[in-house]
Amino acid sequence: TWGEPFDRMAFSRVASQLRILARATPRDKLRLVSGLRALGEVVAVTGDGTNDALALRRADVGIAMGIAGTDVAKDVSGIILLDDNFSSLVTAIKWGRNIYDSIRKFLQFQLTVNIVALFLSFLSAVVLRESPLTSIQMLWVNLIMDTFASLALATDPAEERHLATKPCGREEAIITRSMKVNITTSALYQIIVMLIILFQGHRLFGVPSSIGLRDHDWTDQLGMHYTMFFHSFVFLQVFNEINCRKLSLTEMNVFEGFTRNKLFLGIIAFTVITQICFIEFGGRAIKCSDLNFWQHLVCISIGSTSIGVTSVSYTHLTLPTIYSV
């Protein structure tokens, strides 16, 4: 900085012990910010004057005062505190981390559903030469995957726990190890369940097989097999959406804070009601047979089993560690 060579080792020793830098000049501030960034740190700088502009520009996040700050400081900053209150920084950090977590939740859900849907579509095309889901049913599943899931999972309110977590590193992947385990175990479980329903569901449910059924041969009775396949698949996604509210394997209770997000509850309720209406009133247009109460209950129960999948996978991963101790 300023034409002088940067001594990384010397700066690292000073930075590890530095707590307060009093009466710092603009040059000192710029050196400090540049040095910390060179060490791989994520740096935030607050300032209100023109002299702070260089450090604000060089920082990862520049924070200027909205009232006392100069126009130069505001122009180079990423965040402007409108009330000049430093406590607003805490709120900004909390909501910023909450937004990042919301993106991760949506990715976790989206990847799981896409893996399952892609595998089932490919296998059905290769083995059965047909798709167990119709075009309208797939459109409804896509609506659940994209629009509804993004609204439900991205609107969780910020919590105090976000302040207790460490900030994300510059090179940290957006998909964490816990997310990979959640995605893998949930996708594998759903694939196994759906394959059993696809090839053995007619025997398990005591209904005629829908495999090889042509459109003009479709009846309410003959379509029950694929209807229960579709019904179970949707409810697996509904309950997995609840699963995806938690990102860490150590968060065993997926219903913690469940009632705080009213929009999430509304979307889940709307999805369930609309799905049941599809089954009850869809008929030949959607290729959905009218199911009785117990058949609805069986499909919902199958979907609800996805709730415990991540908990089981977490227990399986931690048992070797427990016994090794």
Side-chain angles (χ1 to χ4, degrees):
T1 308
W2 298 84
E4 298 179 6
F6 175 68
D7 190 338
R8 187 185 184 92
M9 295 298 296
F11 181 85
S12 180
R13 288 194 298 270
V14 173
S16 62
Q17 300 178 9
L18 184 64
R19 296 295 178 269
I20 298 175
L21 184 62
R23 302 184 65 83
T25 65
R27 180 179 178 180
D28 294 331
K29 296 177 184 178
L30 184 60
R31 275 184 168 180
L32 181 61
V33 173
S34 301
L36 289 172
R37 291 197 64 186
L39 294 178
E41 301 289 345
V42 179
V43 184
V45 173
T46 59
D48 56 6
T50 304
N51 291 339
D52 301 320
L54 290 173
L56 287 168
R57 183 188 295 275
R58 184 64 62 87
D60 292 287
V61 182
I63 305 167
M65 302 299 174
I67 300 174
T70 63
D71 290 339
V72 175
K74 294 177 186 177
D75 289 341
V76 298
S77 298
I79 298 175
I80 299 175
L81 300 179
L82 298 178
D83 56 359
D84 284 11
N85 188 351
F86 276 104
S87 63
S88 300
L89 278 177
V90 178
T91 304
I93 292 170
K94 184 165 64 176
W95 277 98
R97 293 182 179 181
N98 180 64
I99 291 171
Y100 192 65
D101 277 357
S102 296
I103 295 171
R104 282 178 159 172
K105 291 173 186 177
F106 177 67
L107 276 176
Q108 183 171 263
F109 176 78
Q110 184 81 302
L111 289 174
T112 303
V113 182
N114 279 324
I115 290 170
V116 177
L118 180 63
F119 181 86
L120 291 176
S121 298
F122 175 77
L123 188 70
S124 300
V126 172
V127 178
L128 302 179
R129 305 292 182 180
E130 64 181 19
S131 174
L133 299 178
T134 65
S135 300
I136 297 177
Q137 291 171 358
M138 282 303 299
L139 285 173
W140 170 238
V141 171
N142 284 330
L143 193 62
I144 296 173
M145 286 194 311
D146 299 330
T147 307
F148 291 166
S150 61
L151 287 173
L153 296 173
T155 53
D156 272 344
E159 303 173 5
E160 293 300 321
R161 65 177 178 83
H162 288 109
L163 297 175
T165 58
K166 294 181 179 180
C168 299
R170 191 189 306 276
E171 304 297 329
E172 183 177 337
I174 191 170
I175 300 178
T176 63
R177 177 180 174 273
S178 295
M179 290 174 63
K180 291 176 182 177
V181 173
N182 288 340
I183 292 168
T184 304
T185 52
S186 295
L188 283 175
Y189 175 76
Q190 289 189 30
I191 288 171
I192 292 170
V193 170
M194 296 313 299
L195 288 179
I196 292 173
I197 296 175
L198 180 61
F199 293 107
Q200 298 297 326
H202 57 288
R203 294 189 179 93
L204 296 174
F205 303 143
V207 297
S209 175
S210 299
I211 296 176
L213 182 65
R214 297 181 180 180
D215 288 346
H216 61 271
D217 294 329
W218 189 92
T219 63
D220 201 57
Q221 183 66 24
L222 294 176
M224 277 193 176
H225 177 204
Y226 276 176
T227 300
M228 296 187 75
F229 176 91
F230 169 56
H231 209 30
S232 300
F233 180 72
V234 169
F235 275 104
L236 278 170
Q237 310 320 316
V238 169
F239 284 98
N240 187 46
E241 200 167 331
I242 299 173
N243 259 346
C244 291
R245 293 181 62 251
K246 302 299 180 183
L247 295 171
S248 174
L249 290 172
T250 58
E251 296 177 293
M252 304 289 283
N253 184 12
V254 295
F255 292 102
E256 182 182 357
F258 185 66
T259 57
R260 280 201 296 266
N261 188 349
K262 305 302 181 185
L263 182 58
F264 183 90
L265 295 176
I267 289 173
I268 292 293
F270 176 78
T271 303
V272 171
I273 293 170
T274 306
Q275 173 64 19
I276 292 175
C277 287
F278 274 165
I279 301 301
E280 292 299 310
F281 309 112
R284 178 178 288 274
I286 307 179
K287 295 294 188 298
C288 286
S289 302
D290 183 14
L291 303 180
N292 61 39
F293 173 78
W294 295 108
Q295 288 170 331
H296 278 294
L297 190 61
V298 166
C299 295
I300 294 172
S301 300
I302 290 172
S304 67
T305 58
S306 64
I307 286 288
V309 172
T310 52
S311 300
V312 171
S313 65
Y314 170 71
T315 305
H316 176 72
L317 288 171
T318 53
L319 277 177
T321 305
I322 295 172
Y323 284 116
S324 63
V325 175

